[in-house]
Amino acid sequence: MTDQPYQGYDGYDGYDPYRQQPAPQGWPQQQPYDDPQAAQPYTQQWQGQTWETQVQPPVAPPAEETAYMPSQGAGAAYGGYQEPGWGGTQAPAPTQTPAPAQAPAQTPPTDGSEPGYGPATVAGNARITDAQRARLEGRSPIIEPGVQPAGLTALLGLLLAGAAAIGPYALVVPLVALQAVTAAGWFRLNGMWPARQGIALAFAGALTADVALLASGRTPAAILGTLGVWVLLALVLQLRSHADPDERMYGLMATVASAALAIVASGYLASHADAVTVGAASVAVAVLVRALPLPTPASVAASLLAAAGAGALAGALTGLGSAGALLGAGAAVCALIGHRVASYDYPSRFVHFTAGVALPLAAAAPAVYLLGRALV
């Protein structure tokens, strides 16, 4: 050693583990310092490659250079750098591999059409309902039952007319079918499906009314009594429900209305046989004419005229005479109201084949009973 001062930093130049030197290089020369504390004995100086010890954000190399990255040794923790003699081995050079062939660029079509676009639409929004699309396009959102539901209504009406001529017990068979379709169609028309309990309750009320009518000699009071009892029963059942108050009120109204329509259809059983024959035949003709592709005012007028004519013809066959025309027209008015209710706001096909079939006949039952008692 020597008595010459050494160069340091703040009075200390200790061992730095991050500085690596391959071999000692001798003693440096004395340098003048302004700081008196820097004049201290020299220590050995090492020269070699160093690296930054601060954390730097990684820089992603190009994709073609990292296609096959070789495994790193002990120097992987320091950015992959290794030097011989410090516990590691020299990293092998990465193997150059050819870059994958890129797909050829798509050429635009020569016919002038734009790729990636579908055909133009009128509404522009595929998520809106059919009724909303119809309003946007200036069309009516109401779709009426077509020819097939009208044909089923006419068939059921003719069955009622023929069974009424046979007797009250024969009339029960098509009447029960009408009441079942009425109960199911009303719930489906209100968007409540499946509603097995409500449908079963309404249909049970209709059967009870039929039995009460037959047991009481077809007294109309049996219909009113059954209707009152079933309204109370529906109210009690809805009060026991654990649904939300709004849902319970909605279910109560739908159940009461369905039961009322199914029970009111029992009016055919309480009516005079000739009135049932005339009224059911008139409804069948009116619904068929209403299904013709005519403007709405012309279709309604034509159906009423056809119903009056059918009523007059059926009245001549049954003994009612010209009074049958009035009864047929009155029954047709109620039937067209039921037909309009079943046409509300883009109903489904199932609605057309349940409510669209049953509501015209069920709505005409009170008119048949009242006009029949007045005219017969």
Side-chain angles (χ1 to χ4, degrees), residues 238-288:
Q238 289 298 325
L239 288 177
R240 297 183 58 187
S241 176
H242 298 286
D244 296 335
D246 294 339
E247 295 182 359
R248 283 187 292 178
M249 181 60 67
Y250 189 61
L252 175 63
M253 298 305 296
T255 304
V256 170
S258 178
L261 288 172
I263 293 173
V264 164
S266 300
Y268 287 110
L269 192 59
S271 303
H272 194 274
D274 293 342
V276 175
T277 301
V278 173
S282 301
V283 170
V285 174
V287 173
L288 283 177

Side-chain angles (χ1 to χ4, degrees), residues 153-154 156-162 164 171 268 274-286 327-328 331 361 364 368:
T153 303
L156 190 56
L158 293 178
L159 290 176
L160 288 172
L171 181 60
Y268 287 110
D274 293 342
V276 175
T277 301
V278 173
S282 301
V283 170
V285 174
L327 193 152
L361 287 169
V368 170

